[in-house]
């Protein structure tokens, strides 16, 4: 009987200790670097449920782009406490625009009109492959973004990526999914060759080790990602933040998650943004 009592007391002590250990472990903040809140015509989840999902999962920031842009407008306008929304203009109204955006002149007008909302930090995600990136409207969009210090979130193959980079040397491109299957060594070469090129790791594995550093033997320049954040001195391929363009005059401030240190670089950005864990 005494043995049973002893085991019961030990079990009770373990149950008391476990919550304390859980509380002591710091909850890491998450930045989702590739989020769509699509509405065709209605969203699968209502806005309040989406925001609740963010809160429950400690999502402190999102790179938001939606089809149509109404979803992104709603995420910005919600001004949810503790949520940093980085809004991008997606050049899509319906699913058909995924194929047609680069030839439909009305899409350029859509981008210009949405930009007047003053809070957008980039254009994309858009899909483009191979020689289609040579189209005049694609260059026009690249130039529009470069002239306004906006990022471009491009879902493309390497051939199209090379064309986008050649359109305007000032263009800042985030390579969506970092090319999916582009060899790691080639990704490293591209990031080192093009200072304004960044990668993000949604649907892309094999580029980082368990510490969030490049899995290549040689160090790699930092990038926006869906991987682990590390210190800039590691020159990671999966850094937890980028310095997005400074908010234009008249734009309402976006919520910035607390508990994250500012990103550092050899050339201080106009507006430092938090370094957080990014994962999907």
């Amino acid at each position: 009987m005494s043995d049973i009592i002893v085991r019961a007391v030990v079990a009770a002590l373990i149950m008391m200790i476990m919550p304390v250990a859980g509380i002591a472990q710091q909850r890491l903040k998450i930045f989702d670097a590739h989020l769509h809140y699509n509405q065709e015509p209605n969203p699968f989840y209502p806005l309040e449920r989406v925001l609740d999902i963010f809160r429950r999962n400690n999502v402190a920031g999102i790179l938001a782009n939606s089809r149509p842009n109404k979803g992104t407008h709603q995420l910005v306008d919600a001004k949810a406490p503790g949520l940093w929304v980085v809004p991008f203009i997606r050049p899509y109204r319906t699913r058909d625009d995924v194929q047609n955006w680069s030839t439909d002149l009305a899409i350029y007008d859509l981008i210009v009109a949405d930009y007047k909302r003053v809070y957008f930090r980039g254009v994309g995600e858009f899909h483009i492959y191979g020689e289609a990136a040579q189209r005049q409207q694609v260059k026009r969009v690249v130039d529009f973004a470069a002239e306004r210090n906006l990022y471009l979130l491009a879902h493309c193959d390497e051939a199209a990526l090379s064309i986008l980079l050649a359109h305007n040397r000032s263009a800042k491109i985030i390579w969506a999914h970092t090319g999916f299957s582009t060899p790691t060594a080639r990704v490293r070469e591209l990031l080192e060759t093009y200072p304004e090129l960044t990668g993000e790791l949604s649907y892309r594995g094999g580029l980082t080790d368990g510490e969030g550093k490049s899995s290549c033997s040689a160090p790699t320049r930092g990038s926006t990602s869906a991987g682990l954040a590390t210190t800039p001195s590691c020159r990671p391929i999966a850094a937890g933040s980028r310095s997005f363009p400074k908010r234009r005059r008249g734009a309402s401030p976006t919520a910035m998650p607390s508990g994250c240190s500012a990103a550092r670089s050899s050339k201080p950005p106009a507006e430092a943004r938090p370094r957080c864990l990014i994962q999907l």
Side-chain angles (χ1 to χ4, degrees):
M1 179 67 71
S2 59
D3 183 54
I4 295 175
I5 294 174
V6 170
R7 281 185 288 171
V9 170
V10 171
L13 289 172
I14 292 173
M15 293 300 292
M16 292 173 64
I17 292 170
M18 285 178 63
V20 175
I23 293 172
Q25 184 176 1
Q26 181 184 3
R27 289 191 69 200
L28 295 174
K29 294 183 182 296
I30 296 171
F31 184 98
D32 190 332
H34 194 123
L35 182 133
H36 304 304
Y37 185 36
N38 295 338
Q39 304 188 12
E40 298 176 311
N42 299 310
F44 186 79
Y45 287 134
L47 180 62
E48 282 306 314
R49 185 171 179 187
V50 170
L51 297 177
D52 181 61
I53 291 172
F54 291 156
R55 285 190 292 267
R56 287 190 287 104
N57 291 280
N58 216 29
V59 176
I62 55 174
L63 193 161
N65 64 108
S66 311
R67 185 180 65 235
N69 287 303
K70 175 184 175 183
T72 300
H73 301 163
Q74 291 178 347
L75 290 167
V76 173
D77 294 342
K79 295 181 175 61
L83 180 67
W84 174 34
V85 180
V86 181
F88 275 37
I89 304 169
R90 202 171 196 200
Y92 300 161
R93 300 155 299 187
T94 66
R95 190 178 297 272
D96 289 343
D97 288 333
V98 175
Q99 304 297 327
N100 303 329
W101 76 270
S102 62
T103 56
D104 186 345
L105 299 182
I107 292 297
Y108 185 82
D109 295 335
L110 178 154
I111 293 171
V112 172
D114 250 332
Y115 180 70
K116 293 177 181 178
R117 289 178 177 264
V118 306
Y119 51 61
F120 281 104
R121 307 296 181 88
V123 177
E125 180 194 19
F126 57 81
H127 298 68
I128 198 75
Y129 303 99
E131 290 299 311
Q134 295 280 14
R135 292 170 180 162
Q136 184 60 35
Q137 173 141 301
V138 176
K139 175 171 172 46
R140 197 179 181 196
V141 170
V142 171
D143 288 340
F144 178 92
E147 290 165 5
R148 292 158 180 81
N149 197 30
L150 300 175
Y151 280 85
L152 291 156
L153 179 57
H155 181 132
C156 62
D157 56 12
E158 186 181 338
L161 177 66
S162 297
I163 295 170
L164 294 174
L165 290 164
H167 278 324
N168 192 313
R169 292 298 182 182
S170 298
K172 296 185 294 186
I173 298 175
I174 301 173
W175 195 7
H177 318 293
T178 315
F180 282 110
S181 59
T182 303
T184 305
R186 179 57 180 157
V187 170
R188 170 180 168 272
E189 291 174 1
L190 289 167
L191 290 172
E192 291 185 340
T193 301
Y194 300 102
E196 298 300 334
L197 177 63
T198 298
E200 60 88 4
L201 306 184
S202 58
Y203 287 102
R204 175 68 206 243
L207 289 181
T208 61
D209 61 16
E211 298 298 321
K213 302 173 187 176
S214 170
S215 57
C216 294
S217 57
T220 311
R221 189 178 55 75
S223 70
T224 301
S225 74
L228 292 174
T230 63
T231 58
S233 60
C234 297
R235 300 183 69 210
I237 194 174
S241 71
R242 292 291 289 176
S243 301
F244 289 98
K246 196 168 184 179
R247 194 172 65 246
R248 286 182 287 152
R249 184 174 298 175
S252 58
T254 54
M256 185 183 299
S258 60
C260 300
S261 61
R264 294 170 293 166
S265 66
S266 58
K267 186 175 182 180
E271 183 178 2
R273 286 297 176 182
R275 175 177 292 283
C276 302
L277 174 71
I278 300 176
Q279 69 182 34
L280 293 179

